Amino acid sequence: MPSSRRAILGHIMSGLCSKMNRTKPVPADVMETPLKRCLTTFDIALLGIGHMVGAGIYVLTGTVAKEMAGPGIILSFVLAGFVSMLAALCYAEFGTRVPKAGSAYVYTYISIGEFWAFVIGWNILLEHMLGAASVARAWSGYVDSMLGGWIANTTLSLMGGIHEPGLAQYPDVLAFLVCIIYAAALGSGVKATAVFNSILTLVNIGVMIVVISVGFWYADTNNWSEAEGGFLPYGFGGVIAGAATCFYAFVGFDSIATSGEEAKNPSVSIPIATVLSLCVVTLGYILVSAALTLMIPISEINPAASLPEAFGQLQLPWAKYIISIGALCGMTTTLLGSLYALPRCMYAMASDGLLFSCFGRINSSTQVPLLNLIISGLLSAALALVFDLAKLVEFMSIGTLLAYTIVSASVIILRYRPITHLGSPNPVYAPDTPDDENNEDAESQSSIDTASPTSDLIEGALAGRLKPQFRWLEPLLGRFAPGSVVSVCVLLFIVLSFAICLELKVSWTELYTGTWWALLVYGFIIFAASTCVAIMAVHNQNTRGLNFKVPLVPFVPALGIFSNIMLMVHLDALTWVRFFVWVSIGMVVYFLYGIRHSKEGEVCSSYSILMTSSEAGKLNWGSFKGSRGSTTARHTVLERFMGRSKLEDKKPIVEEEYDEENAESPH
């Protein structure tokens, strides 16, 4: 009896793991969508610039320069821009591979599995909600500072303050109304929104050019002298802390990938717009920061309104009004960017069955998910009403960094994954190296005419296998299914990167003083992480059909993973607690609704549609059994993760098709 219970429990757990790890196939026609494809490369680039250049440049710059890095804020923006570019390259490759709404959520679903896709999608929803709320709060605060604090004083006198830790001092009614009004404006349609966003973004760029030009005209290099604290008054540690905060200023380029389902030519527009917008924004941040710290000493910077106050001290009142116009335009475009991306992420998750089906509906006249837009606007407005700006920004970073980490890992995994045969969930394997025990069969398999397939198909079939010059590693790494070794190495590299960053944070003093045990542990972890990257690099890649490719894979994505984890480790512990609370709420939604209503779990899924009716009937949803003719293979969870090692599972393409024909022919 106990053995029966264990068998039943094992069957349930096996089915659960199978459901959590199921992946979404790339659609046969990736351009098909109920949304309207009307955005050009110029529209998408300005959407990305507008989403990034907002509260970061007009509010965040003064705070970081005065309290964290001083003039070293220039290096903080360089570092944050570099880390963002590593992630942006990965987003650009995925945007050309899968031009669908949902951004990192869709990419994770295709490459890693349903469970992690839901985790990423759930956190993207929070990221955009917090982004919209924080910018609305900054928008309101900026207007209030221009009016001399009239809004805050009036609200406190009429409604009183909020005396709860973690909440704002008073309910911000203006921020609430701003979210509602702009959400309503987005309901008019994506093209009208793009035109409005482009106009405001161009005004904002013009204001930035004026700020940089006037700032350098009145620059005083003595403000970087030792008398004022020098270029790095807070040391290099202040630069790192400033970079973690400045990273918030670059959050928004993922909205470019989200617009892939509404781009006219996503394979061209997404990579160009991503790289161009990030380069423009990084250069703008660096020049504005340099101009600000050269105009006035850091001790005289006003964090609430740094640029207007700086020009006010230079007796340039006209510049103050120009900057205020640019600030409001910039924060408006950032708010529009968050409210634009949030409904589309909800739509992508609902279309896959992981969120409630009502969020998967598109309005027929505007071709916009209106219900999602209404919910997004109300939730963002509620957050902006009661939460403080600093708390919103801090909580927002962790979900963004996690999404960037998973997308970078997904690029590596998909690069080394073999192609699939006619939508089948099982990879198509190239013929193996002949085995000693079945030499004749192996020779016959190897004698298949490989000149008939195109070079792209050969490259796809060889993906995940060892390169010819590294065949001597075959006894160690060749026992597993192609691509599985790389997937395991990616997982180990992420774990080891966390270990390295924690070691740096906790035992920095011991490392700096040369304590033997700290050096030994640190050296071993670095060696293990480097070995994981080296093992990835000795395998063949699959780059067929990619108009844009991340350079130097796996090194660039691996560096992006490490950089994102480094910034995550330096976040406050309370932020991690809030993050796990939010993820726990998401787990309730997933296990009570999403896992049961997933479109990949339906009998007539994308896979079974592409299979023949007899073949689809042989494969039970959620089971570990697979039939090929009269042969039944059973795989454990570990075997499915590490890859198939049985000889019959590694048959070449031609033999698989021959077996299927024999199985279907009448006897």
Side-chain angles (χ1 to χ4, degrees), residues 265-558:
N265 188 2
S267 62
V268 174
S269 299
I270 298 299
I272 292 177
T274 300
V275 176
L276 178 63
S277 62
L278 201 59
C279 289
V280 169
V281 169
T282 303
L283 181 62
Y285 278 143
I286 291 172
L287 293 178
V288 169
S289 301
L292 174 64
T293 53
L294 283 171
M295 279 192 297
I296 58 174
I298 60 171
S299 58
E300 299 178 11
I301 293 177
N302 180 7
S306 55
L307 291 173
E309 292 294 330
F311 281 97
Q313 291 185 32
L314 297 175
Q315 306 300 320
L316 299 173
W318 58 269
K320 182 175 181 179
Y321 294 106
I322 292 179
I323 293 169
S324 299
I325 293 173
L328 294 179
C329 289
M331 285 186 273
T332 298
T333 57
T334 305
L335 180 58
L336 286 173
S338 293
L339 290 175
Y340 166 83
L342 178 55
R344 284 150 182 84
C345 291
M346 295 172 65
Y347 159 75
M349 296 180 71
S351 298
D352 292 329
L354 301 187
L355 281 185
F356 307 111
S357 59
C358 59
F359 296 134
R361 298 171 185 166
I362 301 294
N363 183 270
S364 57
S365 59
T366 61
Q367 292 182 283
V368 170
L370 282 182
L371 177 63
N372 302 8
L373 192 57
I374 294 170
I375 300 296
S376 302
L378 289 175
L379 290 176
S380 300
L383 290 174
L385 183 67
V386 296
F387 280 97
D388 186 36
L389 175 62
K391 300 298 181 183
L392 291 171
V393 171
E394 187 177 327
F395 192 25
M396 179 180 170
S397 298
I398 188 168
T400 305
L401 289 168
L402 179 63
Y404 292 175
T405 301
I406 297 297
V407 168
S408 300
S410 299
V411 165
I412 301 176
I413 291 172
L414 277 190
R415 278 290 190 95
Y416 294 96
R417 177 176 292 176
I419 61 173
T420 53
H421 177 49
L422 295 178
S424 169
N426 297 323
V428 175
Y429 297 103
D432 280 336
T433 304
D435 294 326
D436 293 336
E437 57 188 33
N438 293 309
N439 199 30
E440 287 186 3
D441 293 341
E443 286 180 1
S444 65
Q445 290 178 11
S446 299
S447 64
I448 295 172
D449 181 16
T450 55
S452 56
T454 64
S455 59
D456 282 348
L457 290 176
I458 294 175
E459 178 187 348
L462 291 176
R465 292 184 176 274
L466 289 171
K467 296 178 180 177
Q469 60 268 37
F470 298 104
R471 288 288 178 163
W472 53 274
L473 291 172
E474 192 79 30
L476 180 63
L477 303 177
R479 299 180 296 123
F480 308 105
S484 60
V485 173
V486 174
S487 299
V488 173
C489 286
V490 170
L491 176 62
L492 289 176
F493 179 78
I494 292 175
V495 174
L496 292 170
S497 296
F498 265 108
I500 292 172
C501 297
L502 286 173
E503 180 79 10
L504 279 174
K505 184 177 181 180
V506 175
S507 305
W508 170 250
T509 305
E510 288 78 4
L511 287 170
Y512 185 76
T513 56
T515 306
W516 69 270
W517 64 265
L519 293 175
L520 183 64
V521 172
Y522 195 62
F524 172 77
I525 298 175
I526 291 179
F527 173 77
S530 303
T531 302
C532 289
V533 177
I535 292 175
M536 299 176 207
V538 301
H539 289 80
N540 288 304
Q541 297 183 23
N542 174 22
T543 59
R544 71 185 188 97
L546 292 180
N547 294 325
F548 177 84
K549 297 184 286 290
V550 178
L552 299 176
V553 173
F555 303 105
V556 168

Side-chain angles (χ1 to χ4, degrees), residues 128-207:
H128 289 307
M129 269 193 292
L130 293 175
S134 62
V135 174
R137 194 86 194 188
W139 197 98
S140 172
Y142 209 89
V143 172
D144 189 39
S145 67
M146 292 172 59
L147 298 177
W150 179 82
I151 296 176
N153 295 331
T154 304
T155 305
L156 286 171
S157 62
L158 294 177
M159 305 177 64
I162 302 176
H163 306 288
E164 295 293 334
L167 299 181
Q169 295 181 353
Y170 62 92
D172 198 331
V173 179
L174 179 59
F176 180 90
L177 294 176
V178 165
C179 282
I180 298 297
I181 291 171
Y182 285 130
L186 283 167
S188 60
V190 64
K191 190 59 182 178
T193 302
V195 171
F196 181 59
N197 176 82
S198 299
I199 294 172
L200 294 182
T201 301
L202 291 174
V203 172
N204 191 17
I205 292 174
V207 171

Side-chain angles (χ1 to χ4, degrees), residues 54-99:
I57 200 165
Y58 295 104
V59 179
L60 198 64
T61 305
T63 302
V64 175
K66 184 176 179 65
E67 301 174 0
M68 296 183 182
I73 186 178
I74 297 172
L75 299 180
S76 296
F77 273 120
V78 170
L79 184 58
F82 174 73
V83 174
S84 299
M85 180 61 77
L86 294 176
L89 292 173
C90 297
Y91 271 85
E93 177 174 319
F94 264 117
T96 61
R97 190 189 291 266
V98 191

